[in-house]
Amino acid sequence: MQELERRNALPVHYAILELSGQLRERQRQTLLTLVPHLIDRVQWLDALPEDFVGVMIGNEVLDAMPCELVQLADGQWQQRGVILGEQGFAMQNRPIQSAQLAAACEPLPTIANYTSEIHLEAQGFIAALGQSLQRGMIILIDYGFPQREYYHPERSMGTLIGHYRHHTIHDPFFYPGLTDITCHIDFTAMYTAAEASGLSLDGYTTQASYLLDAGILDFAQQLPTTSIDYMKSVAAIQKLTTHAEMGEIFKVIAFSKGLTGDTAPGLRGRDRSGEL
């Protein structure tokens, strides 16, 4: 909001979809501390708005949603669930009951014990965004791959992983409730869900391409080269844009409805929509 104000481009309303009362209060206190004169523009939502006109931004929202875990066992796709055994929590297979989940397993390699994730809830979220948006754009930033890479035969153990205090955890039952469990996103599935919901694909690219085209280097050049902020910004830009860090694994996908005109900033670089 500070940057939008600096650019003389403040929205009339800035809406935050946040279900946690505790996080809402933290957000409110942050805004009251940093931009108290703009707090009247902010509104908190309990659900997606109806007939929304504007821009929706989701940064690492899709990867936080629950996924279905499946495994090819005894020649059939099985749904993996959690049981409580003598040694604590454990995984156990069970027959797939959902026709939608069974159909979603069709693109997966038929390799014994191949394990991966299906993003039915995230696809439903995309469909809900399509119903909510009357005119405008949806920009989603997350880490993941197109379907061909996501379900590669060599990625036989899937992408489900945990994070605890900045450490990567491969056991999803490590410190239950404290470990952040997540998985990468199948962007082809997101595109398919968006298309079925009446959304147009505006672009799909890497985070590095998006940020560079949007002018992140121009922002850094505005800072005095001897300032601490400049050094911090250079380090942050390197992490956000380099191939070895977040620049390649993170992707940006954009959808729109009812828009015409030039391509939006950030999407004029290398378009990888053909990979979807």
Side-chain angles (χ1 to χ4, degrees), residues 196-273:
S197 303
L199 294 169
S200 299
L201 177 67
D202 276 38
Y204 169 68
T205 189
T206 63
Q207 178 174 278
S209 176
Y210 182 86
L211 291 176
L212 291 172
D213 182 62
I216 194 170
L217 296 182
D218 296 336
F219 170 78
Q221 289 174 357
Q222 296 171 12
L223 300 172
T225 56
T226 57
S227 69
I228 295 178
D229 287 342
Y230 177 81
M231 300 304 295
K232 289 182 177 179
S233 295
V234 169
I237 290 172
Q238 183 177 20
K239 184 172 184 178
L240 290 169
T241 59
T242 59
H243 180 89
E245 294 279 355
M246 300 167 63
E248 180 71 21
I249 192 65
F250 275 75
K251 309 295 194 307
V252 179
I253 193 166
F255 306 108
S256 69
K257 182 185 290 185
L259 295 184
T260 58
D262 297 335
T263 303
L267 301 174
R268 299 165 301 191
R270 182 188 176 191
D271 185 23
R272 300 174 67 164
S273 298

Side-chain angles (χ1 to χ4, degrees), residues 70-137:
V70 296
Q71 184 179 72
L72 187 64
D74 300 325
Q76 292 186 332
W77 288 107
Q78 303 278 321
Q79 183 178 15
R80 289 178 68 74
V82 179
I83 63 167
L84 182 60
E86 295 181 358
Q87 304 299 319
F89 292 120
M91 288 287 189
Q92 185 178 79
N93 288 351
R94 57 193 174 199
I96 293 178
Q97 302 294 327
S98 164
Q100 184 183 12
L101 181 57
C105 292
E106 293 180 2
L108 278 64
T110 52
I111 300 173
N113 297 321
Y114 189 93
T115 305
S116 196
E117 305 85 29
I118 306 292
H119 304 87
L120 297 183
E121 189 154 336
Q123 293 175 58
F125 177 70
I126 295 291
L129 294 181
Q131 294 175 357
S132 172
L133 185 68
Q134 179 182 11
R135 182 169 58 87
M137 179 171 284

Side-chain angles (χ1 to χ4, degrees), residues 27 36 59 63 67-68 99 104 131 142 147 167 182 201 208 214 229 242 245 261 265 275:
Q27 292 160 0
N59 183 33
D63 72 89
C67 65
E68 297 290 347
Q131 294 175 357
D142 231 308
Q147 190 175 91
H167 292 281
T182 182
L201 177 67
D229 287 342
T242 59
E245 294 279 355
E275 299 177 9

Side-chain angles (χ1 to χ4, degrees), residues 49-72:
E50 296 182 5
D51 299 328
F52 179 79
V53 176
V55 179
M56 297 180 175
I57 302 175
N59 183 33
E60 289 193 72
V61 171
L62 298 175
D63 72 89
M65 295 184 178
C67 65
E68 297 290 347
L69 197 61
V70 296
Q71 184 179 72
L72 187 64

